[in-house]
Amino acid sequence: MHIDIITVLPELIQSPFEHSILKRAQQKGLVSVNLINLRDYATNKHKNIDDYCYGGGAGMVMMIEPIANCIDDLKSKTVYDEIIYMTPDGDTLNQKMANTYSTLNNILVLCGHYKGIDERIREIYITKEISIGDYVLSGGELAAAVFCDSVIRLIPGVLNDETSALSDSFQDDLLSPPVYTRPADFKGYKVPDVLLSGHAGEIEKWRFEQAINRTKSKRPDLLKEN
Ligand code: 6GU
């Protein structure tokens, strides 16, 4: 998979891709990520990428020309499966969406800023709009990093058996069961006996029950959805 990310703050989004699983996914050649600085496509001499909002009101709007020039340039080199705009009024990201996007070859992600982007960009270029939840962030960069992380870790080969995505919370609409490591007794707080029993079948059954119970008590909405 290849991901191009258009941003006015490349430094803000760089770090998540330079560590841990996302770093290894790139080293393994399973994904490549390219950050494009929107300011390189500014069209006036001041390199502006935002302007006042028509009709008045507080807040700046991201201008159409720099974004259009940037996307046109990228599209001349790559055929994108989706051109995604990160915005609080988009579809709320969930695991099912992450699964779907993880099967694509080329994704372009546009990070919004200020009051938003000129609406015509959405009309002309954007094929999907994604939010990461019902709260407002200062810009789309952190949301884009969250989105990319959720997608990249699902690309086959990125995770090994130990970190298998199959047992993740939400993968089967269940929260993950509790986990423990040594010591078996911490100041009287003990690890459940079954986990020390060595009975693989019993352990699996216990984990499944715990996952169900945890989902029922913390997120009953997940069970009701189906
Ligand atoms: Cl994608 N962008 C911004 N600015 N805020 C958000 C968001 C995106 N998703 C949730 N809040």
Side-chain angles (χ1 to χ4, degrees):
M1 175 188 291
H2 179 73
I3 305 175
D4 282 326
I5 303 173
I6 302 173
T7 168
V8 286
L9 291 170
E11 299 87 358
L12 181 58
I13 194 174
Q14 214 166 349
S15 169
F17 296 100
E18 293 173 348
H19 302 276
S20 183
I21 288 167
L22 301 194
K23 179 184 180 181
R24 253 179 292 134
Q26 292 169 89
Q27 287 170 340
K28 285 186 192 170
L30 296 168
V31 66
S32 49
V33 179
N34 183 28
L35 303 177
I36 297 111
N37 192 338
L38 182 63
R39 210 166 291 274
D40 293 343
Y41 291 87
T43 47
N44 66 19
K45 65 174 190 281
H46 303 292
K47 296 265 170 211
N48 290 333
I49 43 92
D50 61 330
D51 203 344
Y52 295 100
C53 190
Y54 268 126
M60 305 293 276
V61 175
M62 288 172 77
M63 296 160 66
I64 192 165
E65 291 102 331
I67 299 175
N69 290 343
C70 181
I71 296 179
D72 284 342
D73 182 32
L74 293 169
K75 279 178 79 172
S76 73
K77 294 176 263 186
T78 305
V79 177
Y80 294 102
D81 299 306
E82 298 287 3
I83 300 180
I84 299 164
Y85 174 45
M86 302 305 303
T87 174
D89 63 10
D91 297 336
T92 308
L93 181 64
N94 60 30
Q95 192 64 29
K96 193 167 163 237
M97 286 159 69
N99 282 330
T100 305
Y101 287 110
S102 74
T103 65
L104 302 181
N105 292 319
N106 289 292
I107 304 178
L108 176 56
V109 180
L110 171 62
C111 302
H113 256 274
Y114 316 112
K115 208 172 178 172
I117 60 175
D118 189 300
E119 186 67 18
R120 291 165 291 182
I121 287 290
R122 298 169 79 152
E123 258 171 63
I124 301 167
Y125 293 103
I126 302 299
T127 61
K128 285 277 177 346
E129 299 179 329
I130 298 178
S131 158
I132 63 163
D134 290 341
Y135 43 82
V136 179
L137 300 169
S138 310
E141 281 76 13
L142 297 180
V146 167
F147 168 69
C148 290
D149 186 309
S150 76
V151 169
I152 292 170
R153 62 197 303 287
L154 295 171
I155 298 170
V158 168
L159 299 183
N160 53 36
D161 282 349
E162 282 153 49
T163 50
S164 167
L166 292 177
S167 61
D168 282 345
S169 278
F170 292 108
Q171 197 60 35
D172 43 14
D173 283 331
L174 288 179
L175 302 182
S176 294
V179 292
Y180 301 86
T181 186
R182 287 184 289 185
D185 184 338
F186 175 72
K187 299 178 181 177
Y189 291 86
K190 298 207 172 87
V191 173
D193 285 336
V194 61
L195 296 178
L196 310 175
S197 69
H199 292 303
E202 289 296 309
I203 292 170
E204 197 183 333
K205 188 166 150 251
W206 181 86
R207 285 186 171 149
F208 184 65
E209 285 164 5
Q210 292 290 318
I212 299 274
N213 291 343
R214 194 164 259 207
T215 310
K216 269 187 195 155
S217 72
K218 289 178 190 260
R219 293 292 307 275
D221 55 303
L222 291 177
L223 296 170
K224 280 187 208 122
E225 264 168 29
N226 300 316

